[in-house]
Amino acid sequence: MEEICILGLQIIDRIKENSLVQPVLSKYANIIKYRLGFHELSEEKCSREGLIILQLKGDKQEWDKLEKELYKIEGIRIRKMLFDNSVF
């Protein structure tokens, strides 16, 4: 079983930060296996805060490059989960 990396991005102001986040995600599209994005939506408002969950594939060095570029963007928080072959 290969190692699985999940990145969670909390976008504080998705309207403001989208123009910075989207180009980075597009640049690293070849290592993104799955991408799930969502934000609160109702008839009264559309939330400015958003969440993106990424499952990464491929070269682990590219994972690190993606993460470093995302950390340069103010207004987002990043959390990382790694699942490997280790036994409990």
Side-chain angles (χ1 to χ4, degrees):
M1 183 172 121
E2 68 183 55
E3 187 173 52
I4 297 171
C5 178
I6 306 290
L7 285 183
L9 312 175
Q10 180 186 20
I11 314 296
I12 306 306
D13 186 342
R14 65 184 184 81
I15 295 168
K16 177 182 168 190
E17 305 302 340
N18 186 52
S19 64
L20 300 173
V21 173
Q22 188 57 47
V24 175
L25 297 181
S26 294
K27 178 179 176 180
Y28 290 94
N30 63 317
I31 63 165
I32 298 173
K33 184 173 183 176
Y34 297 110
R35 173 180 168 173
L36 174 64
F38 48 97
H39 63 277
E40 182 183 357
L41 180 64
S42 70
E43 289 184 21
E44 295 82 35
K45 69 174 186 169
C46 184
S47 175
R48 293 182 74 104
E49 184 176 306
L51 296 171
I52 299 174
I53 299 172
L54 305 171
Q55 180 181 343
L56 305 181
K57 64 179 182 176
D59 186 356
K60 293 177 188 174
Q61 291 178 344
E62 290 296 303
W63 298 358
D64 293 338
K65 290 179 185 177
L66 167 61
E67 192 174 358
K68 285 178 185 173
E69 282 198 46
L70 289 170
Y71 269 113
K72 292 177 185 176
I73 301 171
E74 292 184 31
I76 67 171
R77 294 183 189 134
I78 302 169
R79 296 295 181 261
K80 182 177 184 178
M81 292 186 287
L82 292 174
F83 300 90
D84 59 20
N85 292 326
S86 62
V87 179
F88 293 93

